[in-house]
Amino acid sequence: GAVVSQHPSWVICKSGTSVKIECRSLDFQATTMFWYRQFPKQSLMLMATSNEGSKATYEQGVEKDKFLINHASLTLSTLTVTSAHPEDSSFYICSAYKPGQGVETQYFGPGTRLLVL
Amino acid sequence: QKEVEQDPGPLSVPEGAIVSLNCTYSNSAFQYFMWYRQYSRKGPELLMYTYSSGNKEDGRFTAQVDKSSKYISLFIRDSQPSDSATYLCAMTYSGYSTLTFGKGTMLLVSP
C-alpha cells in the first residue's frame, strides 16, 4: 500500500496559539486529501476535503476560519488550528486518495494528537 | 438515527475464537463497504473492501454485506492477541465519495 505521513505525531500547545499539522503522501501524488478528527471512543468525523490547487470543502459545523487547510502541492496538505482552545484537543488524521484506482485506495496517515492546555 | 451504527464494545474473546463484528446502516445508497483496523494512537488501515452485496474472504478475515438488511459483518477466524484493536466499518456511495464511519468496535483477544 501507499504511505501517508503526518507531522508532528503529537503536539502540546497553550490556549490561543496556532498549530500546523502536515500531511504528506510519500510515494504517490494525491489530488484529494481528507482531514478527520477523532475524539476518544468516537468515530472519525470528516472535517474537510482538500483538493490540490483549490479551496477546501468543509463539512457542516466545521469553522473554515479556525481550521485553515492548504493543499499547495500534490504531496502536501496542511491543517492549521488557529487560536486553539482546550476543546480542540483531539486526534487529527489525514487521508489521501491514490489516483487512478478505486475507493479502497484511500490511505490514512498515522494521526496527530493535539493537546491544548 | 445515525447513518452508521456500530457497537463500541469492548468485545473480549480468548485466543482462537471466531469473532463477529457488525454494522448497520440506514442509507440504501451506500455501495462500497470497508473495514478498517485501528491500533491505539494510530491511523486506520484498510482490512477488507466489498462492493455491493456478497462475501469476500482474505486469509482469516471474511467480510459480508447484506444490502437488503443494510447489515455488514466482519468475521475473524482463529483470533490472535495481535488482532486486538478497534475495528471501524466505513461506507460510501461511489468510488470517490467521502467515507462515513461507524464508531468502531474495540476487540480484545486474550492469550
Side-chain angles (χ1 to χ4, degrees), chain B residues 3-29:
Chain B
E3 276 201 295
V4 180
E5 299 273 5
Q6 186 176 11
D7 187 335
L11 176 62
S12 295
V13 301
E15 183 175 357
I18 296 175
V19 175
S20 172
L21 304 165
N22 311 293
C23 288
T24 58
Y25 62 95
S26 57
N27 192 332
S28 58

Side-chain angles (χ1 to χ4, degrees), chain A residues 1 102-108, chain B residues 33-38 43-50 56 58 61 74 87-90 99 101:
Chain A
V103 65
E104 71 274 19
T105 59
Q106 183 175 157
Y107 297 99
F108 285 83
Chain B
F33 304 91
M34 280 73 69
W35 285 95
Y36 288 84
R37 178 174 61 195
Q38 184 178 23
E45 58 174 322
L46 181 68
L47 273 180
M48 300 285 288
Y49 148 66
T50 309
K56 190 171 186 177
D58 183 2
F61 299 90
L74 176 70
Y87 291 79
L88 299 146
C89 64
L99 297 175
F101 283 88

